Amino acid sequence: MAPVSKAERKALMDAGAWIFNVVTSVGIIMVNKALMATHGYSFATTLTGLHFATTTLMTVVMRWLGYVQPSHLPLPELIKFVVFANLSIVGMNVSLMWNSVGFYQIAKLCIIPVLCLFEVVFDNFRYSRGTKLSIMVVLLGVGVCTVSDVSVNTRGLAAAAVAVWSTALQQYYVHYLQKKYSLGSFNLLGHTAPAQMASLLVLGPFVDYWLTGKKVYSFDYSPIVTFFIVLSCIIAIGTNLSQFICIGRFTAVSFQVLGHMKTILVLILGFMFFGKEGLNLQVALGMLLAVVGMIWYGNASSKPGGKERLSHPEKSPEDGRV
């Protein structure tokens, strides 16, 4: 048996990281949807705080075992990241609560052009005509799907918009911090997870009460609800870690481009388990168009001149660009 080459080893690790992210992301979406839609647990912000509590515990254990080495992240950078990340998490959870699974995932497709915009403005990248057209196809597909989703409402659309822009900022910043400070996935989580846990657990009950008019401490925590909460927290460890791993290996744009696999899986599972959110021909065609646009974007941007830096940016995030 021939030895595995370095390129083959990297390809296997990339595939493993992506599969890890797909499985955990789809899993947590379906578990959280069951909690909110089926069992009435609408405290999304508090739940996210619990997610980061278990993630923090994981980083502590990994540090104790010696898998996480000491590292440094300046406090101003940490604060900016936590603001972006908390807005992203709260926005995504609220969007999931107020929208259908389909529209929730479709809105996430918009993160791709927003991240591309960040690269053009902040990193001085230039995109070819084919790359720009592919982004337009993605947006057209998203628009077709959105029109057909009758469960969309004004507040859900607003939550999705906040989620898209804050998520793009958070993911762009993940790649920046990992690159500038030479932070691995465990190291970056070790810095950010405790801060997110503390802020979300403190603010979560108040935010959830403002959103739902219900108190998290007054909810009837039946055994099945408790089971789903624990399951959600366990899966969240993998979701948080795999996101940092994938962004570090693929960059934020590539991470989002590959996300069409999760979108399709979630739409199919949403149709299977939440029949009231059925798929129709218009949604299916819109999804297909969006996926074609993403594949086109991947091919176009990888060609010479498809996506290239014109010059080194004069500013960095520390100079106030984000």
Side-chain angles (χ1 to χ4, degrees), residues 111-184:
I111 298 172
I112 297 172
V114 174
L115 279 169
C116 292
L117 175 64
F118 289 166
E119 288 188 341
V120 170
V121 175
F122 299 145
D123 295 331
N124 205 20
F125 273 98
R126 180 182 64 183
Y127 293 91
S128 66
R129 181 172 178 270
T131 304
K132 293 176 183 177
L133 289 174
S134 67
I135 294 174
M136 293 177 62
V137 172
V138 172
L139 292 176
L140 179 60
V142 171
V144 171
C145 292
T146 301
V147 171
S148 67
D149 195 332
V150 296
S151 62
V152 177
N153 53 64
T154 302
R155 66 175 187 173
L157 185 61
V162 171
V164 166
W165 282 89
S166 59
T167 299
L169 281 168
Q170 182 256 350
Q171 293 184 358
Y172 178 84
Y173 218 57
V174 164
H175 188 72
Y176 166 79
L177 292 177
Q178 287 183 319
K179 184 177 180 180
K180 179 170 183 178
Y181 297 101
S182 300
L183 295 173

Side-chain angles (χ1 to χ4, degrees), residues 10 31 37 50 79 116 122 129 133 141 200 204 242 256 270 292 310:
K10 181 182 183 302
V31 170
L50 295 175
I79 292 175
C116 292
F122 299 145
R129 181 172 178 270
L133 289 174
L200 290 174
S242 64
Q256 284 297 326
V292 169
L310 296 179

